[in-house]
Amino acid sequence: MSEIGFRDSHALDHEDPLAYLRERFEIPKMPDGQDTIYLCSNSLGLMPRAVVSDIQQVLADWAQRGVQGHHSGVQPWLPYHHQFASPLATLVGANASEVVVMNTLTVNLHLMMTSFYRPHDARKKILIERGAFSSDRYAVMSQIACHGLRPADVLIEVAPRPGEDTLRRDDVIDVIERQGSTLALILLPGVQYLTGQCLDIRELTRAGHRHGAKVGWDLAHAVGNVPLSLHDDGPDFAVWCHYKYLCAGPGAVAGCFVHERHAEDTSLPRLAGWWGQEERHRFEMLPSFQPTAGADGWQLSNPPILSLAPLIASLDAFGAAGMSALRRKSLALTGFLRARLETRLGDRIQIVTPSDSAEHGCQLSLRIRSTPAGRRVQEALGSAGVIGDWREPDILRLAPAPLYNRFADIDRAVTILEHVLTPNE
Ligand SMILES: *Cc1c(COP(=O)(O)O)cnc(C)c1O
């Protein structure tokens, strides 16, 4: 067991240089007014308190200025989305022109596949993982159908080995090498939503590119969770949402990365809209479309300002802390959780998430082996104030977030889980 498992949680909280950030967030309460132990940021991050005033600012400008709010006010709406490019680029390791905030994740995935999944001749296949998140899978299947192809002919799914839960990098590289020049696109998750496994973006991207495939990443569970270096790792595109670790609220406007090498490529087919039109010509209403260079050129509509507002506070919190300090605390928190689970619960649970720090983020996925089985564990935890989430048939996901979780939260959560899993005498 790692050193940290022997430490006192209150001492760890006392030493935590990021402890001050918790104050910036609303922590959901139990009926008796106590803070819940919120371990569900993999699903929905908590609300930064400053969101209220940021939204009120938009409402006030709208009320007082009407259409003039596009050009005047504290934060005029026309350039509103530009404020996110730089902090977001820092967070994902990209240039500002490579990222854009727009739409929602699945919509962006479709936009990206329209440009980067271009099956032709012998190169028609698309490689995903067998356990892909449903929406990604549906998006892929429907893109295949839109090209008049059949998933049975062109969809390749990599899977963990029999009896294993997570993918082996070399197995994925093997499949890429065997499929070689038949691969049109590789689409994989940065962090797998169910197992919490972190994949090697750089190595897998390079393997795909060596064989001439385009490579895209779904970073829904990776952004704000693990350090990313998209520009250097070099994928063609990436998509993610902002309501999980990024704390920008339910259904928040999502993010998208397009590598610089495609910035000026007007030969790429794309679904176009006026917000992707070169900015200085946007209001000239020209009959022909000239995309803005960079990721901005994939925008369709004028952005939903009210829904963008919550991103300000959340990116502020990430900027204040810095991703490397957050990652340091995250590894400590998750390491502490793992150590406590192993000592207190032993083989009543199996931790599915890889233990190597390069292969996991905040989340640990536990397979529950003992009674009471199934979803009842999750319900019992919920009534004791521990908010995790349950995935059928037997996985409990617990994700301590370095922005606001404390080591003491983990101590209590494990005590409660132990209690829940201990059969009544
Ligand atoms: C959360 C998540 C989604 C959700 O898609 P939306 O379009 O935001 O509803 C899609 N894919 C993955 C991998 C996710 O984790």
Side-chain angles (χ1 to χ4, degrees):
M1 187 172 71
S2 65
E3 286 296 303
I4 199 165
F6 296 107
R7 299 283 317 274
D8 172 66
S9 61
H10 295 284
L12 287 165
D13 283 323
H14 188 69
E15 291 164 16
D16 172 15
L18 301 182
Y20 75 97
L21 287 169
R22 182 176 168 90
E23 278 298 301
R24 294 193 183 195
F25 292 85
E26 293 287 352
I27 311 294
K29 301 279 187 273
M30 306 258 291
D32 67 2
Q34 268 197 76
D35 287 353
T36 55
I37 299 172
Y38 195 81
L39 300 175
C40 209
S41 307
N42 55 306
S43 186
L44 187 79
L46 293 181
M47 186 181 100
R49 294 195 160 137
V51 161
V52 176
S53 57
D54 290 333
I55 289 180
Q56 275 166 351
Q57 184 62 57
V58 179
L59 292 174
D61 283 342
W62 181 21
Q64 288 158 23
R65 297 166 198 274
V67 71
Q68 276 155 358
H70 282 303
H71 300 282
S72 69
V74 176
Q75 279 185 317
W77 307 323
L78 272 187
Y80 198 92
H81 76 276
H82 288 313
Q83 69 183 301
F84 304 114
S86 165
L88 199 55
T90 304
L91 202 60
V92 300
N95 299 330
S97 64
E98 292 175 311
V99 299
V100 62
V101 173
M102 60 181 188
N103 312 311
T104 45
L105 188 159
T106 308
V107 173
N108 289 341
L109 186 54
H110 274 298
L111 294 180
M112 291 296 102
M113 284 198 283
T114 299
S115 292
F116 295 107
Y117 177 52
R118 306 303 307 167
H120 61 89
D121 306 316
R123 193 184 282 286
K124 293 195 178 66
K125 291 183 184 167
I126 175 163
L127 174 76
I128 64 170
E129 39 139 9
R130 192 182 58 197
F133 194 96
S134 59
S135 197
D136 300 47
R137 198 184 155 81
Y138 305 153
V140 164
M141 307 266 278
S142 59
Q143 287 276 333
I144 289 171
C146 284
H147 286 284
L149 300 169
R150 297 184 328 155
D153 300 326
V154 298
L155 184 65
I156 312 281
E157 295 172 279
V158 285
R161 293 186 184 183
E164 297 185 357
D165 288 298
T166 52
L167 288 166
R168 296 195 190 198
R169 184 182 70 179
D170 290 347
D171 287 356
V172 183
I173 291 179
D174 242 28
V175 174
I176 294 172
E177 281 172 356
R178 268 187 284 121
Q179 296 295 334
S181 60
T182 67
L183 282 178
L185 176 68
I186 297 170
L187 176 69
L188 290 169
V191 173
Q192 216 280 344
Y193 80 98
L194 186 61
T195 65
Q197 180 186 23
C198 199
L199 296 184
D200 188 332
I201 296 181
R202 178 167 303 190
E203 283 305 311
L204 294 171
T205 298
R206 289 183 179 168
H209 283 168
R210 270 199 303 279
H211 293 277
K214 294 284 189 280
V215 184
W217 290 87
D218 184 326
L219 303 178
H221 284 261
V223 69
N225 178 9
V226 295
L228 295 166
S229 47
L230 291 181
H231 178 82
D232 290 344
D233 291 352
D236 298 281
F237 70 87
V239 293
W240 59 88
C241 54
H242 285 136
Y243 48 80
K244 293 170 179 166
Y245 295 103
L246 257 287
C247 300
V253 185
C256 184
F257 163 92
V258 181
H259 197 275
E260 194 176 50
R261 78 177 76 89
H262 302 297
E264 312 262 1
D265 186 353
T266 48
S267 73
L268 281 177
R270 72 179 88 191
L271 296 178
W274 72 320
W275 231 252
Q277 172 76 319
E278 227 185 299
E279 222 169 302
R280 64 201 155 92
H281 297 309
R282 190 184 285 152
F283 288 92
E284 293 169 21
M285 306 310 207
L286 302 173
S288 66
F289 175 72
Q290 267 302 323
T292 303
D296 275 2
W298 272 266
Q299 295 174 98
L300 297 175
S301 301
N302 77 102
I305 303 296
L306 283 165
S307 306
L308 280 177
L311 252 186
I312 298 177
S314 102
L315 286 173
D316 264 4
F318 278 91
M323 199 56 219
S324 54
L326 284 165
R327 172 65 166 167
R328 215 172 306 127
K329 177 173 172 188
S330 168
L331 286 173
L333 276 172
T334 298
F336 188 70
L337 174 60
R338 179 184 287 273
R340 282 290 199 268
L341 287 168
E342 282 169 354
T343 23
R344 306 278 290 274
L345 290 163
D347 56 11
R348 280 180 281 177
I349 56 155
Q350 175 202 352
I351 302 177
V352 164
T353 311
S355 58
D356 182 336
S357 63
E359 281 194 83
H360 70 80
C362 298
Q363 172 184 326
L364 290 185
S365 303
L366 321 182
R367 176 166 293 126
I368 304 293
R369 284 179 163 151
S370 67
T371 53
R375 190 175 275 283
R376 279 173 48 216
V377 173
Q378 148 86 346
E379 286 162 6
L381 285 176
S383 20
V386 179
I387 316 296
D389 86 354
W390 183 259
R391 289 283 155 162
E392 297 297 344
D394 57 359
I395 298 288
L396 176 68
R397 300 187 298 176
L398 300 175
L403 284 173
Y404 39 72
N405 282 123
R406 301 172 298 197
F407 292 90
D409 292 343
I410 288 171
D411 243 353
R412 262 186 67 210
V414 175
T415 302
I416 292 168
L417 182 60
E418 185 180 19
H419 185 75
V420 167
L421 293 183
T422 303
N424 298 330
E425 272 92 66

